[in-house]
Amino acid sequence: MSDSQIVLRESDIQHKIQRLAAQILEECADVQPLGFVGIYNRGVELAKRVFDLVKKKREDVFFGTLDISLYRDDFDNRGDIPTLKSSDIDFDLQGCHVVLFDDVLFTGRTTRAAIDALTAYGRPSCIQLATLVDRGNRELPISADYVGETLETSREDYVHVRLQGPDNEESVSLIKS
């Protein structure tokens, strides 16, 4: 039997995004160049929203998208052929301070794949991670630098993020197994 509960509603998500933007603006005040890269699907939406807020305060920030499908370590085990999206990083990563965005940080494997994919485009001076939800249960030594919400979960639980762009609604639900 599974139990589902909404942990973030639309207004909560907006508040978390504003907080992420404020933290990044503060921590990266003297960083140049600064690039935001969103991991498809919901990481792109999260990155875009934070980028739009940060862009109001500083002009020298860049935006890109990243498809990690072919960099996943479970590519052979997934049983389905991934729908490939087009990565779009049209700024120079060499020496760039990059903030990588994903909606949920869980095992760390998506982040590892994203770092591999990102470095195929160049060598950033620094890569930081921003996530809307950190649910723990890491398999790799990876942590987020910027976190909207931290949830205590078991490995069997599921965190379901819905964002307006890809999903036409806003919520974060925790589905307990």
Side-chain angles (χ1 to χ4, degrees):
M1 175 183 253
S2 63
D3 178 31
S4 177
Q5 97 183 63
I6 294 176
V7 292
L8 296 176
R9 299 188 186 288
E10 185 171 0
S11 62
D12 302 319
I13 292 170
Q14 184 57 33
H15 175 75
K16 301 297 182 185
I17 289 170
Q18 290 170 343
R19 194 171 113 213
L20 288 170
Q23 289 176 329
I24 293 168
L25 276 167
E26 182 179 332
E27 292 290 321
C28 298
D30 298 327
V31 171
Q32 291 181 347
L34 177 61
F36 287 5
V37 176
I39 302 169
Y40 274 107
N41 280 335
R42 288 164 196 83
V44 170
E45 181 68 21
L46 178 63
K48 183 179 180 330
R49 291 186 193 182
V50 174
F51 172 82
D52 288 344
L53 292 171
V54 169
K55 190 79 171 160
K56 292 177 183 177
K57 302 282 185 183
R58 65 181 281 182
E59 294 290 320
D60 61 336
V61 62
F62 303 97
F63 178 79
T65 62
L66 190 63
D67 181 359
I68 63 161
S69 298
L70 298 177
Y71 289 87
R72 295 185 59 94
D73 63 3
D74 61 353
F75 181 70
D76 292 340
N77 300 335
R78 290 177 65 97
D80 58 346
I81 298 171
T83 303
L84 300 179
K85 308 271 197 269
S86 177
S87 293
D88 182 17
I89 300 174
D90 64 356
F91 57 94
D92 188 7
L93 283 181
Q94 191 67 31
C96 186
H97 185 107
V98 173
V99 180
L100 190 62
F101 287 82
D102 199 6
D103 60 339
V104 178
L105 177 57
F106 179 27
T107 63
R109 293 186 177 282
T110 297
T111 303
R112 186 219 39 90
I115 292 168
D116 287 348
L118 190 63
T119 57
Y121 287 88
R123 187 169 187 228
S125 64
C126 178
I127 301 173
Q128 291 186 307
L129 179 62
T131 187
L132 182 60
V133 177
D134 182 344
R135 59 164 293 184
N137 297 290
R138 248 28 119 245
E139 294 176 2
L140 300 173
I142 290 175
S143 63
D145 300 280
Y146 309 102
V147 177
E149 180 78 13
T150 302
L151 297 176
E152 296 291 324
T153 67
S154 72
R155 291 192 56 75
E156 295 76 30
D157 293 341
Y158 182 74
V159 174
H160 191 73
V161 174
R162 294 179 189 267
L163 296 175
Q164 209 54 285
D167 304 308
N168 296 321
E169 68 176 272
E170 299 265 319
S171 68
V172 174
S173 299
L174 173 59
I175 302 163
K176 292 223 171 246
S177 295

